[in-house]
């Protein structure tokens, strides 16, 4: 029971040996030194992957933090990562969370603010129910039909119906509000202290949702990019090159649309 409590305190609160021994002693009605001896003895006998607390060592570089995060995100066995870096399982996850927090703090997240984002019922008003990004592609393809002389990939873009003006406004409204929520959560990050997986996972969910909305905006307007590109394509500039450039411009425009 002492071991389970100590592991929980370290993983969820970053509490080390001495503080954990005092807290567990109070909780279980045991002498602090008895608890400390038990935990320290376990720590000395356990392998690197089963350590309760990170052992004292020199600071870790930003590069090593990022490397540990990459290894975790590549689904490499945690036991192997512990062995390679000489750290406990809990330490590996704590360092990975620090790297995730630093990545968010380095990221440039721009959005167009609206006063309604601060309303108490903003979530319900703006994100409640299905949005335009949730609609299914038209079947059969929306009119006008794609040109027959066009490449199959470009013709497939015409399967996504154009957005109505109110749908486009609603998507931009949702997109900016989601990024507003993401920035508010980012203010809670401090990589120098314990960073909870719960907070980072909530941020990941918001980021994924923002990407989903942005993709819906881009995909619905790619047909227009193709139409313009066809008018200007010629021997010196190919159609695919113009579509690619137009797509990049479309994504950049989405970041600043009010």
């Amino acid at each position: 029971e002492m071991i389970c409590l100590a592991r929980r305190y370290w993983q969820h609160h970053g509490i080390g040996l001495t503080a954990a021994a005092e807290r567990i002693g109070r909780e279980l009605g045991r002498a602090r030194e008895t608890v400390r001896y038990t935990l320290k003895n376990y720590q000395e006998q356990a392998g690197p992957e089963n350590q309760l607390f990170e052992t004292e060592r020199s600071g870790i570089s930003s590069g090593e933090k990022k490397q540990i995060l990459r290894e975790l995100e590549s689904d490499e066995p945690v036991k192997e990562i512990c062995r390679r870096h000489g750290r406990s399982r809990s330490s590996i996850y704590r360092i990975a969370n620090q790297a995730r927090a630093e990545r968010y703090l380095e990221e440039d997240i721009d959005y167009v603010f609206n006063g309604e984002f601060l309303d108490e019922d903003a979530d319900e008003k703006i994100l409640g129910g299905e949005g335009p990004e949730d609609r299914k592609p038209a079947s059969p393809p929306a009119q006008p039909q794609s040109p027959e002389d066009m490449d199959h990939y470009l013709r497939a873009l015409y399967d996504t119906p154009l957005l109505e003006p109110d749908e486009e406004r609603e998507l931009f409204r949702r997109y900016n509000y989601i990024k507003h929520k993401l920035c508010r959560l980012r203010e809670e990050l401090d990589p120098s202290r314990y960073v909870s997986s719960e907070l980072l996972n909530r941020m990941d969910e918001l980021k994924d949702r923002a990407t989903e909305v942005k993709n819906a905006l881009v995909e619905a307007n790619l047909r227009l990019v193709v139409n313009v590109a066809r008018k200007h394509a010629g021997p010196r500039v190919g159609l695919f090159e113009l579509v690619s450039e137009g797509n990049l411009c479309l994504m950049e425009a989405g970041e600043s649309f009010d």
Side-chain angles (χ1 to χ4, degrees), residues 108-126:
D108 186 19
I109 305 176
D110 290 327
Y111 68 96
V112 179
F113 177 75
N114 188 305
E116 70 171 337
F117 294 170
L118 301 180
D119 293 346
E120 292 184 2
D121 59 346
D123 270 13
E124 179 61 29
K125 287 195 306 182
I126 301 174

Side-chain angles (χ1 to χ4, degrees), residues 138-158:
S139 181
Q143 297 294 330
Q145 296 289 336
S146 58
E148 294 296 331
D149 61 344
M150 191 176 293
D151 179 272
H152 175 73
Y153 165 73
L154 296 179
R155 289 179 61 190
L157 299 178
Y158 284 75

Side-chain angles (χ1 to χ4, degrees), residues 234-248:
R236 301 182 64 180
V237 185
L239 178 60
F240 275 100
E241 183 179 350
L242 288 174
V243 170
S244 177
E245 186 175 340
N247 189 21
L248 290 175

Side-chain angles (χ1 to χ4, degrees), residues 38-46 51-55:
T38 302
L39 298 180
K40 186 176 181 181
N41 188 53
Y42 177 89
Q43 179 89 345
E44 292 173 350
Q45 297 182 18
Q51 292 286 299
L52 291 175
F53 316 100
E54 181 181 355
T55 55

Side-chain angles (χ1 to χ4, degrees), residues 1-71:
E1 188 174 4
M2 290 182 190
I3 304 302
C4 291
L5 285 172
R7 193 182 304 282
R8 186 189 312 157
Y9 288 150
W10 173 254
Q11 292 178 347
H12 295 283
H13 305 287
I15 296 176
L17 174 60
T18 302
E22 184 172 352
R23 180 175 294 195
I24 293 171
R26 290 199 306 267
E27 189 168 335
L28 300 181
R30 305 288 296 273
R32 181 184 62 182
E33 286 306 314
T34 300
V35 176
R36 189 176 187 280
Y37 173 80
T38 302
L39 298 180
K40 186 176 181 181
N41 188 53
Y42 177 89
Q43 179 89 345
E44 292 173 350
Q45 297 182 18
E49 70 278 6
N50 292 316
Q51 292 286 299
L52 291 175
F53 316 100
E54 181 181 355
T55 55
E56 293 296 327
R57 55 183 297 176
S58 58
I60 181 172
S61 68
S62 177
E64 186 178 355
K65 289 180 184 180
K66 292 176 180 178
Q67 178 61 30
I68 288 174
L69 179 58
R70 283 193 295 268
E71 291 169 3

Side-chain angles (χ1 to χ4, degrees), residues 152-246:
H152 175 73
Y153 165 73
L154 296 179
R155 289 179 61 190
L157 299 178
Y158 284 75
D159 291 347
T160 302
L162 292 173
L163 293 168
E164 297 294 334
D166 59 332
E167 291 181 315
E168 192 166 82
R169 284 191 294 270
E170 180 61 23
L171 277 175
F172 277 110
R173 179 177 178 235
R174 292 164 76 93
Y175 181 52
N176 283 292
Y177 178 60
I178 292 169
K179 291 203 291 183
H180 166 77
K181 287 170 63 70
L182 181 59
C183 286
R184 292 289 293 271
L185 289 180
R186 187 170 64 171
E187 294 173 359
E188 302 178 25
L189 295 177
D190 182 358
S192 65
R193 304 178 62 183
Y194 174 77
V195 182
S196 74
S197 296
E198 181 182 358
L199 172 60
L200 291 165
N201 291 341
R202 285 165 58 198
M203 295 180 70
D204 287 345
E205 290 173 2
L206 285 172
K207 187 174 181 179
D208 289 343
R209 191 165 185 184
T211 300
E212 180 183 344
V213 175
K214 181 176 181 178
N215 287 343
L217 280 164
V218 171
E219 291 170 5
N221 285 282
L222 274 176
R223 180 199 304 180
L224 302 179
V225 172
V226 175
N227 288 342
V228 174
R230 293 183 75 221
K231 296 178 181 178
H232 297 277
R236 301 182 64 180
V237 185
L239 178 60
F240 275 100
E241 183 179 350
L242 288 174
V243 170
S244 177
E245 186 175 340

